[in-house]
Amino acid sequence: MAVGMTDSKASKLRAMIANGFRQWLLIDPWRTLVGVTRYTFLQGRMKVLDKVSDGVHDIAIPHNISAFKGRGLAAFGMANRMKLLLYPVATIREQEGATGQVLIVGPRTEDDLLLARGLGMRNVRGLDLFSYSKHIELGDIHKTTYPDDAFEAVILGWVIAYSANPAALIKECKRIVRPGGLLGFGIESNIDIRLKPEARVGRPNPLNSAQDIVDLVKEEIVFIHDPQVDHSTSNAVVFRVA
């Protein structure tokens, strides 16, 4: 502690520094630099879940692990599309004064978590089929060990596309979200798949729009981005779980 600085002033100073760092996490290049730097030092800790449910499609782990090849930068920067989910979730939570736990499923890296923290979600953790970070737990969202009503929000960014059993995934998410909590999904709407049924062959499931998820989840919609345009888009939908 600096000479002459009281505990109260020191505490306020630490809070200001921490808040300033969180604000910097909203700057994409800076957040990517932080994430890549941390991965560079932690990549030797990478572990893969050794047993998954039959809801996890065969392509899920190898496809996402492949994003770390080369310099590994392809695994970072996905928060730009995650903004479709994290910004509305953060806004709703701020309006409601929510401070409880948030779970981000399938983040690959710490990028999504860093953005969430920059948006004020201090109590956030990740869950994925592989992890190098203590902030991302190993697990399968089709069947977790979390207790009922464990989280105020569960966010799945472009994860459900890898599920061979979306109904089981959604059931588990509803179990671990507390009543009144938020459940968010990101999904890519692929124009070829939308217009050509044969293009669905080989995909884990037929979901191809936020509206498809709406029809499956059947909960109150609090945010949706689903323009249904004539080109591929990243879409998102956030529900309030009863």
Side-chain angles (χ1 to χ4, degrees), residues 5 17 20 43 57 99 173 186-187:
M5 182 177 290
I17 294 173
Q43 58 184 307
H57 194 270
T99 58
C173 287
I187 188 168

Side-chain angles (χ1 to χ4, degrees), residues 142-218:
H142 295 85
K143 186 176 182 181
T144 74
T145 58
Y146 299 125
D148 293 353
D149 309 332
F151 300 97
E152 280 189 353
V154 174
I155 304 169
L156 299 91
W158 289 259
V159 168
I160 200 168
Y162 301 104
S163 174
N165 192 344
L169 179 152
I170 290 169
K171 181 178 179 181
E172 179 67 358
C173 287
K174 288 185 178 183
R175 182 186 72 79
I176 63 177
V177 176
R178 66 186 58 177
L182 302 177
L183 176 58
F185 294 88
I187 188 168
E188 181 181 359
S189 179
N190 186 296
I191 185 63
D192 289 334
I193 293 171
R194 192 158 66 238
L195 298 179
K196 303 174 185 177
E198 63 272 18
R200 296 180 184 273
V201 176
R203 286 174 59 85
N205 63 64
L207 301 175
N208 190 46
S209 69
Q211 185 59 50
D212 286 344
I213 297 177
V214 168
D215 295 339
L216 193 60
V217 175
K218 294 182 173 62

Side-chain angles (χ1 to χ4, degrees), residues 3-240:
V3 177
M5 182 177 290
T6 65
D7 290 343
S8 176
K9 289 182 178 179
S11 178
K12 289 181 180 179
L13 179 60
R14 287 192 295 269
M16 288 177 60
I17 294 173
N19 184 62
F21 178 75
R22 284 191 293 271
Q23 292 297 310
W24 273 85
L25 292 176
L26 299 179
I27 302 173
D28 295 341
W30 170 253
R31 186 180 62 254
T32 299
L33 176 62
V34 172
V36 171
T37 300
R38 284 182 53 80
Y39 170 71
T40 299
F41 287 99
L42 299 174
Q43 58 184 307
R45 301 182 184 180
M46 180 73 78
K47 295 182 179 179
V48 178
L49 192 64
D50 56 5
K51 186 176 182 180
V52 299
S53 71
D54 57 9
V56 178
H57 194 270
D58 294 342
I59 69 170
I61 294 177
H63 173 73
N64 286 283
I65 284 286
S66 69
F68 291 91
K69 291 182 179 179
R71 295 184 178 180
L73 293 180
F76 296 85
M78 300 309 292
N80 285 324
R81 69 180 183 183
M82 276 294 285
K83 290 176 182 177
L84 283 173
L85 278 172
L86 292 177
Y87 271 82
V89 168
T91 299
I92 294 168
R93 285 172 54 81
E94 182 178 7
Q95 291 174 341
E96 298 176 351
T99 58
Q101 289 195 88
V102 175
L103 179 69
I104 297 180
V105 181
R108 281 188 184 170
T109 72
E110 294 177 338
D111 195 36
D112 295 351
L113 280 67
L114 292 172
L115 178 58
R117 289 185 176 127
L119 290 169
M121 300 182 215
R122 301 182 185 182
N123 199 355
V124 60
R125 70 173 80 171
L127 177 76
D128 212 324
L129 301 170
F130 56 87
S131 174
Y132 61 88
S133 168
K134 67 179 182 180
H135 303 295
I136 303 173
E137 300 166 343
L138 281 176
D140 177 355
I141 190 57
H142 295 85
K143 186 176 182 181
T144 74
T145 58
Y146 299 125
D148 293 353
D149 309 332
F151 300 97
E152 280 189 353
V154 174
I155 304 169
L156 299 91
W158 289 259
V159 168
I160 200 168
Y162 301 104
S163 174
N165 192 344
L169 179 152
I170 290 169
K171 181 178 179 181
E172 179 67 358
C173 287
K174 288 185 178 183
R175 182 186 72 79
I176 63 177
V177 176
R178 66 186 58 177
L182 302 177
L183 176 58
F185 294 88
I187 188 168
E188 181 181 359
S189 179
N190 186 296
I191 185 63
D192 289 334
I193 293 171
R194 192 158 66 238
L195 298 179
K196 303 174 185 177
E198 63 272 18
R200 296 180 184 273
V201 176
R203 286 174 59 85
N205 63 64
L207 301 175
N208 190 46
S209 69
Q211 185 59 50
D212 286 344
I213 297 177
V214 168
D215 295 339
L216 193 60
V217 175
K218 294 182 173 62
E219 295 282 354
E220 176 192 357
I221 302 169
V222 292
F223 172 82
I224 188 168
H225 176 270
D226 192 7
Q228 291 288 329
V229 292
D230 60 356
H231 57 271
S232 297
T233 58
S234 289
N235 299 340
V237 58
V238 180
F239 303 93
R240 190 176 302 281

